Amino acid sequence: MSTLTIRLPNDKHERLKALAKSNAISINKLIDELATVALANFDARVRFETRAARGDPQRALALLDKIDASE
């Protein structure tokens, strides 16, 4: 496991401490959970962009038209 040192404004640090306390977890656990969410979002965006780059815009528009016509 690695150690990460970050510099935060005092008010942000206090707010993070309060958030961690309200969730009954440590600040380390809070930061770990926030990092997990950020990485999941990043991975989802990369997957979407990769699939979009391989996609066919005309086919996608045709499928959307088909959905609109069925509603």
Side-chain angles (χ1 to χ4, degrees):
M1 190 168 294
S2 298
T3 299
L4 175 67
T5 302
I6 60 171
R7 297 184 191 282
L8 295 172
N10 289 338
D11 62 323
K12 191 176 289 185
H13 179 246
E14 291 303 318
R15 291 178 66 204
L16 286 170
K17 280 187 354 185
L19 177 59
K21 185 176 180 180
S22 74
N23 288 309
I25 58 176
S26 68
I27 293 179
N28 281 342
K29 180 65 176 168
L30 175 67
I31 298 300
D32 181 47
E33 290 179 2
L34 293 172
T36 298
V37 170
L39 290 170
N41 287 338
F42 175 73
D43 291 344
R45 184 178 50 139
V46 168
R47 279 192 309 273
F48 175 81
E49 290 171 350
T50 300
R51 293 187 74 171
R54 286 185 279 165
D56 178 357
Q58 295 300 341
R59 182 167 182 253
L61 291 172
L63 289 171
L64 289 174
D65 287 341
K66 186 176 178 179
I67 290 170
D68 284 342
S70 70
E71 293 179 350

